[in-house]
Amino acid sequence: MTLYPKLALSGIRKNRKLYLPYLLSCVGMVMMFFILHSLSYSPLLHKMRGGSSIEYILTLGKFVIAIFSLIFLFYTNSFLLRSRYREFGLYNILGMDKRAISRVILWESLFTAVIGLVGGLAFGLVLSKLAELGLLNAIHADIGYEVTFTWGACGLTALVYGIIFALLTVRSLIGVRKCRPLELLQSDRSGEKPPRANWVLAVLGGILLVTAYVIAVTIRSPLAALLVFFVAVIMVIIATYLLFMAGSVALCRLLQKNKEYYYKKQHFVSVSSMTYRMKRNGAGLASICILCTMVLVLISSTSSLYFGEEDALKAQFPRDSELSVTMYSIDDLESGRTEELRRAYEQVFTDHGFVPENVTAYRYASVAGLEKDGVFDPDAGTESINGMIPDYKSLRMLCFVTQDEFNAMMGTSLSLAADETVIHTVRCTYRHDTLEVGGVKLRVVGQTDDFIEISGVDSLPVSSILMVVRGLDVLRPLDGLTTADGDRMLELFYEYSYDAGVSDEASAIFDEQRSLIGTVMRAEELKGMGYGFNASCLSEQRDDFYVSYGGLFFLGIILSIVFIFAAAMIIYYKQISEGYEDQARFSIMRKVGMTKEDIRKSIDSQVLTVFFAPLIMAGLHLGFAFPLVWKILQMFNMRDLGVVILVTVIAYLAFGVVYALIYRATARAYYNIVSSSET
C-alpha cells in the first residue's frame, strides 16, 4: 500500500472517536434511503389496493431523507474536518504540500464512501424485509415472507449518495486549500472572542416567535392552517436560531453577574467556557431544538392519525354504503327521478331478501362562497379555491336541505316561510341575522345543534354552514349560473346511504346497485343531461384508509429515527469538540485543586444549565403548534381531540427520556476527554 492510503487509514484509526459516529451516520442514512426505495419496488405493495398511495408516501420519504442527508452529513463533516486541521498542518510543516494533503483527504473520503455505501446497502438488505413486515402490519395488509431484491434500488442509492460523498470531498479539499499552514496547526486553539449579548437579534427572535405562536393559536379554518403552516415553520426556525445564538449569550451574562451562582467550582468553568464560544454553541443548540421539534410533531401527528383511523373512517363515511347522484338542475332534482332511483335501489334489496339498516335518502344543494358581513359571493369562492386567493378565512361551503326532508329525518316540525332559514355551523360561527348568496336573501330565524349527516362535509378543508329552507325553489336565481371558469355555482345532489355490515351478500348488493346507477346515468348522459354519480363502500374504503394512515405512521417512525439519530450525532460531536477545547482549561483547574468529582459536577451543571434548553424549547414549540396541527389533522377526518392530546403528551415524555439518555451518554464522553489530561 502506498503512502497516502496508509496515512488515510492511520488517520481514521487514530481518530476513531470522531470517525466511528460519522461512519455510522453515513451507514444509517444510506440504509434508510435504501429501505424506503426498496419498499417502493415491493411486489406485495403493488398488488394491494392503495399501492399507489404507498408509493407516493415512500417517494416523499426518500426525497426528505436524501435532502436531510446532504445537510446533516455536511454539518457533521465540518466537525470532523475541523478536528483534523492540526494533523494536516503538521503534515504541511513536515514537508507535505497541499496537493499531497489533498490526496490523503481523497483516500479518506474514498474509504468513508465505500464503508458508508457497502455498510448501508448491506444493513439495508438485511433489514428491508423487517421494514416491509412492519409496514404491512401498519397498513393491516396480508404478510408475505418471500424476500425480493432489486438492482434498481441499489443503483439509485449508490448514485444519490455517491454524489453526496463527492460533494463532501470537494468541500473538504476547498477547506484545506484555503487555510494557511500555521492556521491548520493552531486550528484547535482558535476560539471565538466572547460575544456580546446582541439584544437587537434577541428581540427580533422574540417578535418572530410570538408572531408565529399567535398565528398558530388563532387559526380557525383547517384550510387556513394548511396554507400558513410552512410560513409559521420558517418563522419558528429563524426565531429559534436568533434566540439561541443571541439569547443564550444574554443568559450566560446574567449567570455571570449572579455571584452566588457563578463563583462556584461546578458552575464557574462551564459557564465561562460556554460564554467564550456561545455563538457557535447557540447555533448547534438551535439545530438540536429544531430536530427535536420535527421529531415530536412527526411522531405525534402520524401516531394520532394511525390510532384514530377508525374514527376518521367513520367521519368520512357515516354509513356502510353511499350512493350519490349529481343532478343537472333543480327541476331534475324535483322531477321524480330521485324516487325512481330509490325504488331501483330498494328493488335490489327485495331481490336479495335483505333489509338494510339506518337508511337515509335526501336531496341537497351546495355552493361555495366568500362571506363578508352576511353576504356570500359564489364566484369569488370558486376562484379562491382554484386560484388559492389568500382570503381563506371567509371561505364557506353552504349546503341547503328542505324542511320536509329535515323534519322527516330529524323528527322535528319546522315550518319556515319562503325567506327564512335555520342553520347549523361546522368549524365556524355565524352571528348575522340575514344570509345572502347570489341575490337570494334569507332571514336566519334559528340555529340547531343537530343536522343531517351530509356525506363529506366533515372532511372538507373549509368551514361549512348547513341550512334548512322551505324548498329548493328559493335557490332558482342561482340555478344554471356559472363561474368565470365555466363551472356551475350551484351543485345539486341526491344521496342514498345505508348500513349493511361486512359480508359477501352486502358486497354483492352494493356492486349490483353501483352497476345499476352507472347504467342509468350513462343513459341520461346520452340525452345530454350531464349527470354524474359516485358510489362508495366503507369496506372498500377501509383498505385505502389503512394504507394511507398506516403508510404515514410508518414514514413518521422512519423519519423520527433519522432525526433522533441526527440529533444524537450533533450532541455527540458538540461534546467531543468542546471536550478537546476545554481539556486544557480543566487541566489547569485540576492543578489548582479541582478534583474529578468537581469536574463531573461542572459538567452536570453545564448540561442542566444549557443543553436541556432545546428539549424545553421544543416542548414550547409543540404546545403552541398543537392548535395548528389539530386543524390540519381535521382535514384528515381526525375528530377525537382527546386521542391527539394523549398521544402528543406520551410522545413528548417518551422523547424526553430518550433525549436524557442520549445526553447522559455523550456527557460521559465529554467527561472522559476533559479528565484525561495529566495533573
Side-chain angles (χ1 to χ4, degrees), residues 162-182:
I163 293 174
I164 292 177
F165 288 130
L167 293 174
L168 291 173
T169 302
V170 171
R171 178 192 181 276
S172 299
L173 293 175
I174 293 175
V176 170
R177 286 186 176 277
K178 283 185 176 180
C179 290
R180 297 176 181 178
L182 189 60

Side-chain angles (χ1 to χ4, degrees), residues 234-459:
I234 296 299
M235 293 175 66
V236 167
I237 291 175
I238 295 174
T240 301
Y241 274 96
L242 290 177
L243 287 175
F244 270 101
M245 293 173 64
S248 55
V249 175
L251 173 63
C252 287
R253 292 301 188 194
L254 291 175
L255 291 177
Q256 286 179 320
K257 290 181 180 180
N258 187 342
K259 296 182 179 180
E260 294 183 359
Y261 177 88
Y262 182 58
Y263 290 106
K264 291 183 179 180
K265 53 188 177 182
Q266 68 265 35
H267 299 154
F268 181 81
V269 177
S270 60
V271 174
S272 61
S273 63
M274 286 187 295
T275 305
Y276 185 79
R277 55 172 180 268
M278 188 49 71
K279 183 178 180 180
R280 176 163 39 88
N281 194 44
L285 292 175
S287 299
I288 296 169
C289 177
I290 296 301
L291 286 171
C292 293
T293 306
M294 291 168 65
V295 170
L296 291 169
V297 171
L298 261 177
I299 200 65
S300 61
S301 57
T302 56
S303 297
S304 297
L305 287 175
Y306 179 72
F307 292 112
E309 59 187 0
E310 284 296 333
D311 290 336
L313 183 63
K314 196 63 179 176
Q316 176 72 22
F317 303 98
R319 298 288 183 269
D320 293 337
S321 300
E322 296 180 357
L323 301 159
S324 175
V325 178
T326 303
M327 308 299 283
Y328 183 72
S329 66
I330 292 178
D331 288 335
D332 288 328
L333 194 63
E334 296 184 337
S335 65
R337 286 187 173 88
T338 57
E339 290 302 316
E340 294 176 7
L341 285 171
R342 177 165 186 162
R343 286 194 294 270
Y345 298 152
E346 294 178 347
Q347 183 61 47
V348 177
F349 292 135
T350 302
D351 294 343
H352 286 265
F354 187 86
V355 179
E357 297 179 353
N358 302 320
V359 176
T360 59
Y362 57 92
R363 300 164 298 169
Y364 77 96
S366 69
V367 60
L370 291 180
E371 184 266 337
K372 183 178 181 181
D373 298 329
V375 179
F376 289 78
D377 185 350
D379 199 18
T382 306
E383 289 175 359
S384 177
I385 294 174
N386 296 335
M388 300 302 287
I389 294 176
D391 196 8
Y392 43 78
K393 292 182 180 179
S394 57
L395 183 61
R396 300 285 184 271
M397 179 66 73
L398 307 182
C399 296
F400 303 85
V401 298
T402 66
Q403 67 177 15
D404 292 339
E405 291 180 319
F406 183 83
N407 288 335
M409 295 183 63
M410 303 300 296
T412 57
S413 57
L414 287 177
S415 179
L416 301 173
D419 64 341
E420 293 180 339
T421 182
V422 172
I423 67 172
H424 172 76
T425 57
V426 179
R427 294 192 296 274
C428 68
T429 57
Y430 191 82
R431 297 185 176 90
H432 300 288
D433 295 330
T434 61
L435 187 152
E436 182 177 347
V437 52
V440 178
K441 190 171 184 179
L442 300 170
R443 292 186 297 113
V444 179
V445 296
Q447 297 196 24
T448 177
D449 294 331
D450 297 318
F451 209 88
I452 299 171
E453 293 181 337
I454 297 180
S455 177
V457 167
D458 284 342
S459 61

